[in-house]
Amino acid sequence: MGANAQTSVPVFASGEVLTAVNQNLSAGTGVPVFATTVTRDAAFGGAGEKVLAEGQLAYIEATNVVQFYDGATWATLGPATAGALVFISATTIGTTVSSVSVSSCFSSTYENYLVTLAGADSSASGTRLRIALGASATGTGYYSVANTLASGGADQINRTNNGTYIEGGYWSTSDSTSLTMTVYSPNVARHTTVTGQSVSTDGNGTETVFATFGGGVEDVTQYTGFTLSPATGTLTGGTIRVYGFANS
Amino acid sequence: MTYKVQIDDEVRDATRAEAAAIEAAHVAAEAQARAEADKAAAAASGRAKLAALGLTTDEINALLGA
């Protein structure tokens, strides 16, 4: 039982003298602290103790949680349990930028990451979407393939073979580019790989291009970020969000 | 030409080295696009010539593995 833990939540009678012990017990902790839920339950309703009522708070040392009493039962207020997918960052793409880098989003906390992009446009019609690890738009040792299916029928396969980036489909101009990709082991000392999908429209907005892509970089650099860029032209708008997959 | 690069929420002018890399990438991309367009045009031309020789679309596709 810790220094703050108590075994009683007292009430005071009219005219009763409050001692330092009395004050330190309640005022010192704010929320009453109990070793366990058993000592919590025993602390209310006894002689000289407060009658348990709706709105009562309590901290339980055994489980490190804050609870509240809703009039019938105790419920845990927090801390909230982290989900399997944890938000890390959001980056809004500026106006007419040649590339956009998201830094400090990969760490040892998570092994794999989800990246989403929505609402981005390119100034150049039908220009390819490029992905690179790190803060530069290009690097070395990239291998990738993007299978692009076009509503207009001009399907295409784009590849990099020991190239400078990962092929990720195409950027749109008149409408929006959307992308989702999983990044595997970017901050682990082994090859980083990427799989994903993107969808865009062409320059006049009449053709949809859907791409599935995969690739990686053959080095063991522990990357902390990535960069998206167009093959030609510039980017404007859209938001890149990064999430970490919980390791367990 | 001035290029802008973005790192997280900061947008700044590209350094001279970054601008040179962007321009080189653009030149390479345009050359690649021209090569792909030429290849597509050659394929279409070849198909047209095969058709002019009297081959059906199914025969051309069978020949080309399309």
Side-chain angles (χ1 to χ4, degrees), chain A residues 77 95 98 103 111 120 137 151 161 165 177 234 248:
Chain A
L77 190 61
T95 303
S98 295
S103 68
E111 183 169 346
S151 63
N161 197 36
Y165 51 84
T177 307
T234 59
S248 60

Side-chain angles (χ1 to χ4, degrees), chain A residues 90-103 128 130 138 156 158-159 165 167 170 230-233, chain B residues 1-12 14 18 21-30 32-33 36:
Chain A
T91 302
T92 299
I93 299 175
T95 303
T96 63
V97 296
S98 295
S99 65
V100 55
S101 299
V102 180
S103 68
R128 290 184 187 175
R130 295 177 169 179
T138 58
Q156 188 160 325
N158 300 327
R159 297 180 175 88
Y165 51 84
E167 295 274 11
Y170 288 86
T232 57
Chain B
M1 181 176 179
T2 302
Y3 297 99
K4 291 188 288 185
V5 296
Q6 179 174 349
I7 299 175
D8 298 325
D9 294 327
E10 179 193 2
V11 176
R12 60 168 172 79
E18 288 170 337
I22 292 167
E23 287 180 354
H26 289 183
V27 168
E30 287 162 2
Q32 184 180 39
E36 288 169 355

Side-chain angles (χ1 to χ4, degrees), chain A residues 24-88:
Chain A
N24 291 340
L25 181 62
S26 294
T29 61
V31 174
V33 178
F34 303 101
T36 66
T37 56
V38 174
T39 56
R40 175 202 65 195
D41 293 342
F44 295 93
E49 292 178 344
K50 185 178 179 180
V51 174
L52 183 59
E54 182 175 1
Q56 179 66 52
L57 292 171
Y59 177 84
I60 309 301
E61 290 179 333
T63 50
N64 299 323
V65 296
V66 175
Q67 296 184 319
F68 69 92
Y69 187 70
D70 68 5
T73 188
W74 288 93
T76 296
L77 190 61
T81 303
L85 197 59
V86 182
F87 173 79
I88 293 174

Side-chain angles (χ1 to χ4, degrees), chain A residues 153-178:
Chain A
D155 303 339
Q156 188 160 325
I157 298 175
N158 300 327
R159 297 180 175 88
T160 53
N161 197 36
N162 197 15
T164 58
Y165 51 84
I166 293 170
E167 295 274 11
Y170 288 86
W171 294 97
S172 74
T173 51
S174 55
D175 287 296
S176 294
T177 307
S178 299

